[in-house]
Amino acid sequence: VKEFAPLQSFGNVSGFFTFGAFYSTGESAYLLNNTMTLLSLSEKTGNEALPRYTHPETDTKRFSTFKALSHLLTVKESEFSTYHGYLEERERLLCKGPVVNFKFELGEVLRCSYISPNIRKMLGYGAKEFLCNEVSPQMLFDDETWEALRKAFERYLADDALTFEKEIRVRAKFGDTKYLHLFAATEKNRAQKPAALIGYCIDITQRVESQQKIQKLAFYDHVTGLPNRELLKSTLATKIEEAKAEGKLCAVTFFDLDKFKDVNDTYGHAAGDKLLQMIANRVRAVLKKEDFIARIGGDEFILIQGGLSRNGVQTTIYATINRILTIVHEPFNIDGKIAHISTSIGTAIYGIDGESVDDLIRHADMAMYEAKKDPDVHFKFYSQRMRFQRESHLALQNALKDAVREKRFHLLYQPQVDIHSGKIVGAEALMRWNDPVLGEISPVTFIPLAEELHLIVELGEWLLEEVCQKIAYLQNRSKLPGNFRSIAVNISPLQFADPYFVSKVEKML
């Protein structure tokens, strides 16, 4: 309309709206005073004074200019550019950004009414596939994940919470696994019933995979891929709590490999690692899904079996142990080298043999060492007798170490008599130990223990020095019979292995 032309004299104009009445002569339309407002996106107002005109009814001339304007708002080209840039940026975010927005209508069937285009980048499915219901939950989730998500959403609706938030595992279109952080809220209808679910999701796959790698380094053995000691302890604590709550039993089975060191020494540590991996794979293959197996170091493994009924618990454990014994005793082919391994196994049961994590592991370890003493058995259940024996053995070890350090031994000399003349021709030095707490300890007990603790060399040197001093003492006082030949002493094979043994004896003499 020609009356709009004068707008350009006030500045760049983007548009206008009118409110009021038009004056018409039948051929042309005219605007009445105060009937039009001109707007721009910048919402800047112009305050210039406008000329006053007479009403067209009192002025016979057709007016070609506006009688009045309520507001004049100017718009700069740069502001239009900014606005269009915002629209373009919004479109880029919806198509390529990391956040996927969605809306699902709630009803008998969950229906997608909106999802942003960048869903294709996230999961491989296009927005149209969601809008046309071509993507089902079974395509996105495994049964366990979908069931957990469904139950969590039902709890959210039942609690009437403000927001729903969850991390979920999703199967993308081409089979790869994605992890998403889901955040949503319900949109209610007029009856204040949930009608739709609106929200967004973010791809957190990289973060989750990084956390999984860190967890694997912290809680899994790098050789076998089995859980390590730390994860074992936390898992056992959980199993104990479950058994306590359910009135069940929990079995802890400790086993190690007999003569595994021979494989390492003969074929090298790389072969030893391969053997451990093969054993881990074999054992996992014969266990139930709910059983837990960990490598706690070296050639030692621990198995946890939870939720066991009191009736027939030993039968259940025996069945598992027999499967392990069978597959471990089969030969192993390590890069063409055949290795034969056996194992010793001990089991302690929560509710019978202990109540805590440490007690159960320690008692299973005791049972395993008892089994190791009997190569024909390979397996034993823990008993109180084992604990008493272990505690006694430990007390004896400590007492022997103190006795060696403080020289608490004494010697008895058993005469050697010539059967023809009846005269003493020599003697044998016999070591004896009388502990102030444990009493008289037989050499049959403390000599093997001294060898086990590598104390026998120090103990043997003391014995030789004592005998040499005794011989010198008797010789100086002319108390040895003329036909007295020698004093015999017992020497441990470990002493003969000492390269300086002969020189030490010569020095004593």
Side-chain angles (χ1 to χ4, degrees):
V1 181
K2 61 183 180 181
E3 283 78 7
F4 297 157
L7 293 173
Q8 299 300 322
S9 64
F10 296 103
N12 294 330
V13 177
S14 63
F16 68 94
F17 71 86
T18 64
F19 180 81
F22 287 93
Y23 174 78
S24 175
T25 63
E27 296 179 357
S28 302
Y30 301 91
L31 294 171
L32 300 180
N33 286 348
N34 300 319
T35 60
M36 178 177 176
T37 299
L38 185 67
L39 298 176
S40 75
L41 293 176
S42 68
E43 297 186 358
K44 294 180 180 178
T45 61
N47 297 319
E48 294 89 347
L50 299 176
R52 302 292 299 177
Y53 296 93
T54 59
H55 196 280
E57 293 180 352
T58 62
D59 190 346
T60 55
K61 293 182 179 181
R62 293 173 55 195
F63 63 89
S64 59
T65 59
F66 291 106
K67 303 302 181 182
L69 291 174
S70 299
H71 298 285
L72 179 62
L73 306 178
T74 61
V75 177
K76 297 180 180 178
E77 291 182 3
S78 61
E79 292 173 320
F80 275 115
S81 176
T82 300
Y83 177 68
H84 287 301
Y86 161 76
L87 293 178
E88 291 174 357
E89 182 65 20
R90 178 177 177 274
E91 187 66 18
R92 279 195 297 270
L93 287 173
L94 291 176
C95 293
K96 300 180 180 180
V99 179
V100 170
N101 298 283
F102 60 81
K103 180 176 181 180
F104 284 88
E105 306 297 331
L106 301 177
E108 293 183 3
V109 178
L110 195 66
R111 183 178 62 85
C112 179
S113 57
Y114 173 78
I115 194 163
S116 51
N118 52 346
I119 187 66
R120 183 182 295 277
K121 181 181 178 182
M122 182 180 285
L123 296 180
Y125 297 103
K128 185 177 179 181
E129 292 177 90
F130 279 89
L131 296 173
C132 296
N133 293 324
E134 296 175 4
V135 182
S136 67
Q138 289 71 27
M139 296 167 65
L140 295 174
F141 309 106
D142 57 50
D143 293 341
E144 182 179 353
T145 302
W146 173 243
E147 184 65 15
L149 180 60
R150 187 184 62 80
K151 288 182 177 179
F153 186 66
E154 287 177 353
R155 286 195 300 271
Y156 159 70
L157 292 178
D159 296 340
D160 196 24
L162 292 176
T163 57
F164 177 72
E165 190 171 4
K166 190 171 181 61
E167 293 186 0
I168 55 176
R169 185 176 66 247
V170 180
R171 185 169 48 243
K173 186 173 185 177
F174 302 106
D176 50 327
T177 298
K178 296 281 188 176
Y179 293 90
L180 307 181
H181 183 94
L182 181 68
F183 189 92
T186 54
E187 184 179 68
K188 296 184 178 181
N189 56 22
R190 292 183 178 180
Q192 294 301 302
K193 299 294 184 181
L197 185 70
I198 56 175
Y200 65 84
C201 58
I202 302 174
D203 188 343
I204 58 170
T205 303
Q206 187 174 3
R207 189 196 79 191
V208 171
E209 289 179 346
S210 296
Q211 290 174 340
Q212 289 174 343
K213 289 179 181 178
I214 294 172
Q215 185 181 33
K216 188 170 184 179
L217 290 173
F219 297 110
Y220 288 83
D221 171 49
H222 70 282
V223 175
T224 62
L226 294 176
N228 62 14
R229 182 184 291 270
E230 293 304 316
L231 187 53
L232 165 78
K233 285 189 172 183
S234 63
T235 302
L236 180 53
T238 301
K239 293 287 187 182
I240 289 174
E241 291 301 318
E242 291 174 354
K244 187 183 301 183
E246 298 170 2
K248 302 280 187 176
L249 300 178
C250 176
V252 177
T253 297
F254 197 122
F255 67 96
D256 74 354
L257 308 178
D258 300 329
K259 298 182 179 180
F260 173 72
K261 186 175 181 297
D262 293 346
V263 176
N264 269 339
D265 294 343
T266 304
Y267 301 130
H269 289 281
D273 287 348
K274 287 185 179 180
L275 177 59
L276 291 172
Q277 293 167 3
M278 296 169 73
I279 288 173
N281 291 336
R282 286 189 185 183
V283 172
R284 275 186 293 205
V286 300
L287 296 179
K288 296 179 180 179
K289 182 181 179 181
E290 59 270 21
D291 293 340
F292 180 91
I293 180 74
R295 179 191 176 211
I296 62 171
D299 61 345
E300 296 178 332
F301 300 82
I302 290 183
L303 166 66
I304 302 174
Q305 294 173 277
L308 302 177
S309 300
R310 291 184 178 272
N311 294 332
V313 61
Q314 290 194 350
T315 301
T316 301
I317 295 172
Y318 269 126
T320 302
I321 299 305
N322 286 332
R323 290 197 299 270
I324 294 175
L325 288 171
T326 299
I327 55 99
V328 171
H329 289 183
E330 293 176 356
F332 293 85
N333 188 328
I334 310 172
D335 297 331
K337 304 177 182 69
I338 303 301
H340 293 272
I341 294 292
S342 61
T343 182
S344 299
I345 305 176
T347 295
I349 302 174
Y350 165 78
I352 299 176
D353 303 321
E355 301 290 329
S356 70
V357 169
D358 291 336
D359 283 347
L360 290 170
I361 293 175
R362 184 172 64 254
H363 293 167
D365 184 28
M366 289 183 189
M368 183 267 292
Y369 275 102
E370 286 296 312
K372 196 178 287 289
K373 295 176 182 178
D374 188 349
D376 295 328
V377 174
H378 295 295
F379 167 70
K380 284 192 176 183
F381 281 105
Y382 169 80
S383 67
Q384 288 287 345
R385 177 185 57 81
M386 295 179 186
R387 182 172 67 84
F388 295 143
Q389 289 178 339
R390 177 64 68 89
E391 290 175 354
S392 298
H393 187 69
L394 183 60
L396 186 62
Q397 286 182 350
N398 294 332
L400 181 58
K401 291 176 183 177
D402 292 340
V404 171
R405 184 176 62 253
E406 298 175 9
K407 307 294 189 294
R408 292 179 183 169
F409 302 91
H410 62 278
L411 298 179
L412 299 178
Y413 293 91
Q414 180 172 296
Q416 294 176 339
V417 179
D418 186 324
I419 59 175
H420 299 291
S421 63
K423 295 181 178 180
I424 296 175
V425 295
E428 179 182 0
L430 303 176
M431 185 182 295
R432 294 294 182 265
W433 175 28
N434 190 358
D435 185 81
V437 176
L438 302 178
E440 189 75 28
I441 309 298
S442 168
V444 176
T445 300
F446 74 80
I447 293 298
L449 183 58
E451 292 179 332
E452 177 187 329
L453 299 176
H454 302 286
L455 299 173
I456 194 65
V457 173
E458 183 179 355
L459 197 55
E461 290 176 0
W462 175 84
L463 171 63
L464 287 172
E465 289 177 354
E466 286 291 310
V467 170
C468 289
Q469 290 177 8
K470 177 63 70 174
I471 293 174
Y473 173 81
L474 294 175
Q475 285 178 336
N476 291 336
R477 287 164 176 72
S478 301
K479 290 186 177 182
L480 288 177
N483 54 355
F484 192 91
R485 295 192 294 268
S486 62
I487 296 179
V489 295
N490 293 304
I491 304 296
S492 168
L494 295 179
Q495 289 178 268
F496 285 117
D498 182 1
Y500 303 103
F501 176 70
V502 175
S503 61
K504 288 178 180 179
V505 174
E506 290 176 343
K507 185 178 180 180
M508 293 177 192
L509 295 175

